[in-house]
Amino acid sequence: MTAAAAPPVRRSQAERRATTRASLLAAARALFAEQGYAVTGREEIAERAGVTRGALYHHFVSKADVFAAVVESLEQELVARVVSAGLEGVGVRDQLHRGCRAYIDACAEPSMARVLAEAPGVLGIEACRALDDEFCTPLLEQVFAVCQAERVSLPGHPEVVANLLLGLLNTAGAMIAASPHDAVQHDRVADTLDGFLERLFTSSD
């Protein structure tokens, strides 16, 4: 006697919406990375994702809205990678070095480089800063809290140092993202960043 097949599991409307949105973001990210923001059309994104144009319009009001969502997802991914790399370090200095290197290495990857390079021009500087404030600044604040615990002093006010360090990382990442296949440029930026980080902190007795 053959057992009756189990009825198919029906996904909720929320699950279907989440799946569709994830497919659209994956398709948009690939297209933006391959050919850039200006060339990519919303219809092309919908076709790559395997959904209707109506489904895309339901989730995103404009191409810029799609791009903003892609950049936000990249920021989240970058933070996760930075944290993961930092956790492999011993002591706050090593953790910071590893995290920063993970960030600039990611900026050279084809799936990220072009999108990150175009983000300020498409979204505007203020929108990019807002993303930094949401995802990156809290991470640096955690680093500075560890500094205090490890008796490592900062060369100035923590909030100012956080913003200056973030600006340094953004510039380093932008330089690499602009020439993702230039290994010489990558090494120059990485080595120079390491030099800045070596001089950033001083141990307190």
Side-chain angles (χ1 to χ4, degrees):
M1 182 176 179
T2 303
V9 177
R10 297 185 62 182
R11 295 184 300 167
S12 68
Q13 185 175 5
E15 290 173 329
R16 291 194 298 272
R17 283 200 301 266
T19 299
T20 299
R21 191 176 191 277
S23 297
L24 286 167
L25 287 178
R29 173 173 172 172
L31 287 167
F32 290 143
E34 291 167 11
Q35 59 192 30
Y37 176 81
V39 176
T40 302
R42 285 196 291 177
E43 291 78 8
E44 190 176 9
I45 294 171
E47 182 178 356
R48 174 74 69 94
V51 304
T52 65
R53 286 181 294 177
L56 186 148
Y57 299 152
H58 175 74
H59 287 273
F60 303 102
V61 298
S62 66
K63 186 172 72 169
D65 191 28
V66 181
F67 189 84
V70 168
V71 173
E72 181 174 339
S73 70
L74 287 183
E75 289 279 354
Q76 293 172 329
E77 182 178 329
L78 282 169
V79 167
R81 292 172 65 164
V82 165
V83 170
S84 178
L87 289 175
E88 297 178 2
V90 179
V92 68
R93 286 191 183 87
D94 188 30
Q95 291 171 346
L96 186 62
H97 273 277
R98 289 174 181 269
C100 291
R101 179 58 69 93
Y103 171 75
I104 62 173
D105 286 349
C107 290
E109 295 179 6
S111 65
M112 292 194 178
R114 191 166 194 168
V115 177
L116 293 174
E118 290 190 329
V122 176
L123 302 179
I125 298 298
E126 291 304 318
C128 291
R129 285 177 178 169
L131 287 172
D132 282 342
D133 289 341
E134 181 178 358
F135 296 106
C136 302
T137 303
L139 187 60
L140 289 176
E141 290 174 349
Q142 293 176 22
V143 170
F144 296 151
V146 175
C147 286
Q148 185 176 9
E150 295 189 4
R151 297 179 60 80
V152 176
S153 62
L154 299 172
H157 191 280
E159 184 178 351
V160 176
V161 176
N163 281 280
L164 291 177
L165 178 56
L166 192 54
L168 175 64
L169 288 171
N170 284 340
T171 300
M175 292 174 69
I176 289 177
S179 304
H181 304 296
D182 189 339
V184 174
Q185 173 77 335
H186 180 281
D187 290 343
R188 285 174 178 168
V189 173
D191 291 344
T192 302
L193 178 61
D194 282 344
F196 271 103
L197 293 175
E198 285 290 342
R199 293 164 175 79
L200 179 61
F201 298 126
T202 57
S203 295
S204 58
D205 296 328

